[in-house]
Amino acid sequence: MKFHKITLQKYRALQKALAPTISAASSTSTTSTPTVDVPPTWRAHGGRTQEKHADRDLFFDVLSSTSSKREAKSYLSRFKTPNVPLQKKLVDRKVDNKEIQRGQINGVNLGCLFLPARAVDSSPVFSQSAVPEKFVDVAIEPLHVALVALKSPQSIDDNTLEGIGLTLSQLAKLGLSCVVVIDPQDEQLAKSSTRDALKWRLEVLGQADRVVAAIDSHGGKGARRLDSIIGFSPMADTGALTIKVRGSARVIHPNLLLKPLRRGIIPVITPIGYTTAGQKAVGVYANEVILALTREFAGISQNSGVEEDLSQMIGKLQLAQKHVSLDRIILLDPYGGIPSTTKSKPSHVFINLEQEYEGIREDLLRSREGIVENDRRNVNASGSSPSPSRQSNRLSQFAETETACLSTEIPVDGRASTDISIKAHLDSLQLVRDALAILPPSSSALLTTPQEAARSTQHSTTFAEPGVGTRPFRNPLIHNLLTDKPIFSSSLPRTRLSPSANSSSPSPSPATFIKRGMPLTIIPDPRLTPWHPPTPSQPPLRLSDPRIDLPRLIHLIEDSFSRPLNAQHYLNRIAHSLAGIIIAGSYEGAAILTWETPPDLPSSLIPGSPAHSARLVPYLDKFAVLRRSQGAGGVADIVFSAMVRDCFPRGVVWRSRRNNPVNKWYFERARGTWKIPVQEGAQGWTMFWTTEGVSGERFRDYERVCRSVGTSWADGGKVLD
């Protein structure tokens, strides 16, 4: 009963907070808005009751997705309709109003001669010219849009499609207007004979109508299939361009797209374009349609180019972003998110394109080439059985598992399906990179399966049991809209992501959240110089290194901890123990790591010897994130993941004061913790580590280091570190 009461209070609070947003998105904008022709079943079986159930499901999804007060405030600040006063008309007067009120003009008292008469001012005036008026500018809330690519809709059953329609309707109620692009993933049929091309177009239109019907079945403003808005003109390959400001597809009737969006209607667009010469209907790659829509929403016209003045282009972009904000690129792909070739995680939870794009792409290409080569050898040697190396390839196993549950319309042959799945992931990764390159840094992309997008908290009877706690299933699209984060943090270890061994619950959704992100600088680069304990012949790394901007680093530390740093004392303390530094973006986050020597080491251990190096402790000395970046943008996850994955993959230890609010975040990412017993004159610390199997002498070294490391604050240590 207590849990029910708390949940009900939270539900009512969120309902009150989100009521203006949902009512604004659900109400009719103008009296001239055409009504949507909803299915007869909606009216016959009590549409009002179904709408109440849909709203209830929406609020439960919101309750399960909003994990913190900060995230709820961030969502409301991004999607809340501004309180704008009514426009006031101010008529220009040649005479100063203050002088009129005093009854004086040029110092002469004229009584009430020039005072305004209320009856005259409020009555119509005959005038050949318009009365000059001034209008107060009203800030217009931009239209928040998400581009949703529905891949292989012919392989999706009706129940799943209705679930996707419900989710898209809920996103619209939460302030995110969706534009659905049908991607049948068989464009080659459209390039074949006239008869096959016509059949292909009819099938694509039929799939679009299925999507429209699925969205309309949940009431609201519904959806509408839009034809004749995509133009097509063949052009030279632009693959060498970093930012694709031009393409073969373009939006030729933007008003036909924006008007339904303004009215709350979800447009459904097919990959059918019309040639410039002859207006012939041709099949267009769905990725080109998505890029054309992205350019249109970003304010980049087809005629924009090098010859256009830079200031004019910037002005157009800023004006377009004031009216339309493309916040999400959502790919609903049967193959799910981008798989990972590492043993730590089966798929990428979060991708920082600035840092990880090239590496992930190379991994996928190597896996694809290795699969093709292994299959060729198997065919030549034994006919069809896969090789042991093929069986040990984690990416191959992942792809085969993903394709095993697909319908027969997608090839499920082992070799063909694996190659097709990797190619699909490469195409999705390239599409997201090209789209986010022309969007603001705040825009992002989400890759997940149609089945995951169709799920709802109320409709799911299973509960995921990750190591961090027991929580009901969360819809990845709604969760991402409310928090701007993936469902699971990318810095969590795999043991926190997978269910317990004796649980029958399914694994977390294979969704991948992608942002343009920020560059990551690691000094020294672990790919070139792995981080090992220092040797006497090795020159020590110092924070005064020219590759490090020391003043910005000090500002970052002081801003993150809200305390002044005794810079010289700190530099002296880590002068001979600095292992390396990780810097995120323009010093938005950083981690300073050291090799600490445990106190009271035997004198027989010679510094630099293998025995002495084995006792050195990899220590996280400072972990700092700018206050404006804390809890948003994934800065902390990016730095922490680089630390445990690239710099200290065998483990690292750190400490934190016991009442530090960040400890909850640390607990979820550490393999072990220990509350150090408080001794006389000592401070209360909690020790964390990511090393496996810490015990005995290693554990005592960790504890002694965490006890002995001194502080370098300029405020005299009045507040715990």
Side-chain angles (χ1 to χ4, degrees), residues 367-380:
S367 299
R368 186 183 183 189
E369 293 173 357
I371 291 170
V372 173
E373 180 63 25
N374 290 338
D375 290 337
R376 185 181 297 112
R377 293 176 181 176
N378 291 331
V379 170
N380 295 334

Side-chain angles (χ1 to χ4, degrees), residues 151-444:
K151 297 179 178 291
S152 300
Q154 66 274 11
S155 65
I156 303 175
D157 59 87
D158 293 339
N159 291 333
T160 302
L161 201 59
E162 287 187 5
I164 295 174
L166 172 62
T167 300
L168 297 182
S169 301
Q170 291 176 342
L171 292 177
K173 289 183 178 181
L174 291 173
L176 186 65
S177 303
C178 296
V179 178
V180 181
V181 178
I182 303 298
D183 185 3
Q185 293 191 316
D186 54 0
E187 292 87 350
Q188 294 300 328
L189 292 177
K191 311 298 182 182
S192 57
S193 63
T194 304
R195 179 178 300 177
D196 292 338
L198 178 60
K199 180 181 178 181
W200 177 86
R201 290 197 297 270
L202 292 177
E203 290 179 355
V204 170
L205 294 176
Q207 295 301 325
D209 291 337
R210 285 185 64 214
V211 175
V212 171
I215 298 174
D216 287 345
S217 64
H218 299 288
K221 300 298 181 63
R224 179 186 299 174
R225 194 189 79 198
L226 298 183
D227 301 322
S228 307
I229 70 167
I230 300 297
F232 177 78
S233 58
M235 61 178 300
D237 183 21
T238 58
L241 297 178
T242 304
I243 301 178
K244 295 187 177 181
V245 296
R246 295 181 179 179
S248 58
R250 68 185 188 280
V251 179
I252 55 179
H253 297 298
N255 289 333
L256 296 180
L257 176 64
L258 293 177
K259 285 184 178 180
L261 281 174
R262 291 288 183 190
R263 296 171 180 172
I265 300 174
I266 299 177
V268 178
I269 301 174
T270 59
I272 299 176
Y274 293 86
T275 58
T276 304
Q279 292 296 305
K280 179 183 177 181
V282 295
V284 184
Y285 288 106
N287 288 359
E288 288 292 336
V289 176
I290 295 173
L291 290 176
L293 293 169
T294 302
R295 287 189 289 266
E296 181 64 33
F297 288 131
I300 302 177
S301 63
Q302 189 70 9
N303 296 327
S304 300
V306 182
E307 66 277 1
E308 186 174 2
D309 183 70
L310 181 60
S311 60
Q312 295 179 358
M313 183 180 297
I314 294 176
K316 289 182 179 180
L317 294 178
Q318 293 176 347
L319 181 61
Q321 293 173 5
K322 287 183 179 179
H323 296 281
V324 180
S325 174
L326 182 53
D327 297 336
R328 296 289 188 281
I329 305 290
I330 302 175
L331 304 185
L332 303 183
D333 192 339
Y335 297 109
I338 305 297
S340 174
T341 57
T342 62
K343 295 183 179 180
S344 58
K345 295 175 183 177
S347 62
H348 291 278
V349 177
F350 171 73
I351 295 179
N352 176 21
L353 286 178
E354 287 283 350
Q355 172 202 1
E356 302 176 272
Y357 172 77
E358 292 297 338
I360 294 175
R361 182 175 178 273
E362 290 176 2
D363 288 343
L364 291 174
L365 289 174
R366 280 197 301 266
S367 299
R368 186 183 183 189
E369 293 173 357
I371 291 170
V372 173
E373 180 63 25
N374 290 338
D375 290 337
R376 185 181 297 112
R377 293 176 181 176
N378 291 331
V379 170
N380 295 334
S382 59
S384 60
S385 61
S387 65
S389 60
R390 164 77 177 278
Q391 295 176 351
S392 64
N393 189 302
R394 294 181 53 82
L395 191 59
S396 303
Q397 297 173 3
F398 179 88
E400 291 176 355
T401 302
E402 290 298 310
T403 56
C405 61
L406 301 180
S407 70
T408 56
E409 296 188 46
I410 296 180
V412 294
D413 174 74
R415 292 179 292 274
S417 62
T418 303
D419 183 68
I420 291 175
S421 64
I422 295 179
K423 182 180 183 302
H425 292 309
L426 286 169
D427 292 343
S428 298
L429 191 64
Q430 182 67 43
L431 171 63
V432 169
R433 179 175 182 260
D434 293 340
L436 294 183
I438 56 180
L439 292 175
S442 58
S443 300
S444 58

Side-chain angles (χ1 to χ4, degrees), residues 16-64:
K16 182 178 179 181
L18 296 176
T21 303
I22 295 178
S23 61
S26 302
S27 61
T28 305
S29 58
T30 60
T31 57
S32 61
T33 301
T35 59
V36 180
D37 186 15
V38 299
T41 55
W42 177 261
R43 294 186 292 265
H45 298 285
R48 186 68 176 174
T49 303
Q50 294 185 23
E51 187 175 0
K52 288 183 179 180
H53 285 298
D55 290 341
R56 183 192 62 184
D57 292 346
L58 171 61
F59 280 116
F60 273 104
D61 283 332
V62 170
L63 285 172
S64 64

Side-chain angles (χ1 to χ4, degrees), residues 87-93 129-136:
Q87 290 182 341
K88 297 181 180 180
K89 300 179 180 180
L90 304 177
V91 181
D92 286 341
R93 302 282 188 178
S129 59
V131 179
E133 297 178 347
K134 293 181 180 179
F135 293 90
V136 178

